């Protein structure tokens, strides 16, 4: 259960981070999702800005887990 302001929840989701297992670059959900969208991906994925590897995601406030595709 989440009790708090909606803005805090959104910031927690958009700012969630994980490390790319391919090149060890930090991926932020917002940045990675926008990059994937720019490249034409329509499903909920993130893209690493360094190596362009694409991952599915499991997202909770403050934490993102990268999933193989």
């Amino acid at each position: 259960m989440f009790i708090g302001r909606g803005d805090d929840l959104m910031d927690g989701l958009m700012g969630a981070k994980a490390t790319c297992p391919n090149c060890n670059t930090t991926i932020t959900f917002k940045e990675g999702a926008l990059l994937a969208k720019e490249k034409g991906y329509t499903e909920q994925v993130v893209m690493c800005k360094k190596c362009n590897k694409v991952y599915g995601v499991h997202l909770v406030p403050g934490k993102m887990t990268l999933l193989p595709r």
Side-chain angles (χ1 to χ4, degrees):
M1 175 186 281
F2 179 80
I3 299 174
R5 297 180 357 180
D7 290 342
D8 293 339
L9 175 60
M10 186 61 77
D11 291 344
L13 293 172
M14 292 294 137
K17 297 178 182 179
T19 301
C20 176
N22 189 55
C23 69
N24 293 321
T25 298
T26 299
I27 302 171
T28 303
F29 176 73
K30 182 178 180 179
E31 182 180 65
L34 287 174
L35 180 59
K37 186 175 181 180
E38 287 173 8
K39 299 292 184 176
Y41 289 91
T42 56
E43 62 271 28
Q44 184 178 344
V45 296
V46 294
M47 179 180 275
C48 177
K49 64 185 175 189
K50 185 174 180 183
C51 70
N52 293 324
K53 186 115 168 108
V54 178
Y55 301 96
V57 295
H58 176 73
L59 189 63
V60 296
K63 184 179 178 189
M64 176 172 62
T65 303
L66 301 177
L67 307 171
R69 290 194 59 222

